[in-house]
């Protein structure tokens, strides 16, 4: 399996590396470790970042974003909350 380093994730997601580190600190994403000094991520982190971005565009705060995911990290959107945010 090919892993992406933080620079690749930043480039492909359009986020700054500092934002990725902050998201990791908040527990929104997680790295699998480091290669040298650079954090490494599974490729599916890009999909999760896209979903986080959609949640943010829907009006969710970074504190509310984790509620979009189950404890296993799968998408589990609370539609009522999204509807409330949209109105």
């Amino acid at each position: 399996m090919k892993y992406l380093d933080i620079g690749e994730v930043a480039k492909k997601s359009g986020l700054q590396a500092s934002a990725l580190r902050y998201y990791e600190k908040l527990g929104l994403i997680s790295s699998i470790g480091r290669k040298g000094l650079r954090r490494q991520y599974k490729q599916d982190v890009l999909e999760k970042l896209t979903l986080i971005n959609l949640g943010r565009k829907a009006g969710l705060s970074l504190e509310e974003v984790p509620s979009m995911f189950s404890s296993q990290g799968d998408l589990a959107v609370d539609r009522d909350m999204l509807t409330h945010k949209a109105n």
Side-chain angles (χ1 to χ4, degrees):
M1 176 181 279
K2 182 183 182 295
Y3 299 110
L4 303 171
D5 74 32
I6 194 167
E8 292 173 297
V9 174
K11 183 176 180 180
K12 291 180 179 189
S13 69
L15 295 168
Q16 297 291 320
S18 59
L20 297 173
R21 289 189 294 273
Y22 184 62
Y23 281 11
E24 192 169 343
K25 180 179 176 182
L26 294 176
L28 300 176
I29 61 172
S30 60
S31 65
I32 55 106
R34 294 177 184 263
K35 184 175 183 181
L37 296 176
R38 298 178 70 90
R39 286 179 166 96
Q40 299 289 300
Y41 297 91
K42 291 181 182 178
Q43 291 187 10
D44 64 357
V45 74
L46 295 173
E47 180 180 333
K48 189 157 190 183
L49 289 168
T50 299
L51 294 171
I52 290 168
N53 187 42
L54 287 172
R56 298 285 290 143
K57 286 183 178 180
L60 298 180
S61 69
L62 286 177
E63 292 77 24
E64 293 170 317
V65 165
S67 69
M68 293 175 43
F69 301 98
S70 71
S71 59
Q72 292 79 29
D74 299 320
L75 186 61
V77 175
D78 181 340
R79 294 178 189 269
D80 290 334
M81 181 177 60
L82 285 180
T83 301
H84 175 73
K85 287 287 185 176
N87 292 326

